[in-house]
Amino acid sequence: MGRKSKAPEKPSAAWMGTYGDMITLMLCFFVMLYNPSEVDPTMLATITQSLQMSESETTSGGMSLSAGKLADLGNNINSLPSLEKGKSLGLAKKKAVSLFAPDVKSNRITLTSDERGLIITLLSDNFFEQGSADLNINDTRETLLRLSEFFRSDELKDRRFRIEGHTDNTPVSIDSKFPSNWELSATRAVNVLHYLADYGVNESQFSIAGYADTRPKFPNETEEGRAYNRRVDIIILDEGHF
């Protein structure tokens, strides 16, 4: 009987360990050379993206970089978010959590976020009498001062804001000066802006909207739900929602 042919052995992958060690050492070397005062944010972002390889790309290396004009970098740059805008909004979120801690603790303000941006919610029952658009300035002055300080901060100097008034589904009273909840919600938003402007915010960065009861956060079937729906939202807008 003829001798059976022996199947060829699979190539060794031991070299990948040495290759990985070499790449790690090179990365450490360039980190040591890194000078944050001279870095080009655009090039830094491109380098970061080039290092984010999937496992299947480890044998072929990362993306190649070019030191030409921005146009030469192609879609690598076009697909990156705005680093400076993202950094400033991140700092603004941290500042908001710290600055408004007393107001959050006292249930005057809540801080949330969605696809529109960072949302500062003023619970209306703390700021307005029922059916009124006049701010209860004596009880809310400190909160409004903190809000004006926040919107005048350097982290937000190039951003846009929208003040949205909301009500529950209870119709306005017969003797109300407002024909409907639409006018009530819009006037509350306007009055919040007027007071913030008195404390030094730049009105040109703001827009106003009144939504009446059309965008509730909670069901209006309970008093607690209606209380949370009576609110004024101030939104630090992401760029796509200007």
Side-chain angles (χ1 to χ4, degrees), residues 15 37 40 66 73-74 81 93 97 158 163 180-181 185 234:
W15 63 272
S37 64
D40 181 347
S66 147
L73 296 178
K93 288 180 180 179
V97 170
D158 296 322
I163 304 179
S180 71
N181 280 326
S185 63
I234 310 178

Side-chain angles (χ1 to χ4, degrees), residues 105-167:
K105 186 176 181 180
S106 62
N107 207 31
R108 291 179 184 273
I109 282 179
T110 61
L111 299 173
T112 55
S113 61
D114 61 18
E115 71 282 355
R116 296 171 297 170
L118 176 64
I119 304 170
I120 302 172
T121 295
L122 316 183
L123 301 179
S124 287
D125 289 358
N126 294 306
F127 292 84
F128 304 95
E129 297 295 333
Q130 186 174 0
S132 171
D134 297 328
L135 273 163
N136 185 357
I137 193 64
N138 291 329
D139 293 338
T140 60
R141 181 178 285 105
E142 293 301 318
T143 300
L144 292 168
L145 284 170
R146 280 190 284 271
L147 284 167
S148 66
E149 176 188 345
F150 178 68
F151 290 116
R152 288 185 285 110
S153 63
D154 289 339
E155 293 88 350
L156 298 175
K157 63 181 179 180
D158 296 322
R159 302 202 73 89
R160 298 284 182 177
F161 318 113
R162 184 167 67 235
I163 304 179
E164 299 179 351
H166 301 268
T167 68

Side-chain angles (χ1 to χ4, degrees), residues 135 137 141 144-145 147-149 152 163 190-203 206:
L135 273 163
I137 193 64
R141 181 178 285 105
L144 292 168
L145 284 170
L147 284 167
S148 66
E149 176 188 345
R152 288 185 285 110
I163 304 179
V190 169
N191 284 346
V192 169
L193 177 56
H194 285 332
Y195 272 94
L196 292 179
D198 288 343
Y199 293 140
V201 303
N202 182 1
E203 286 183 295
F206 288 80

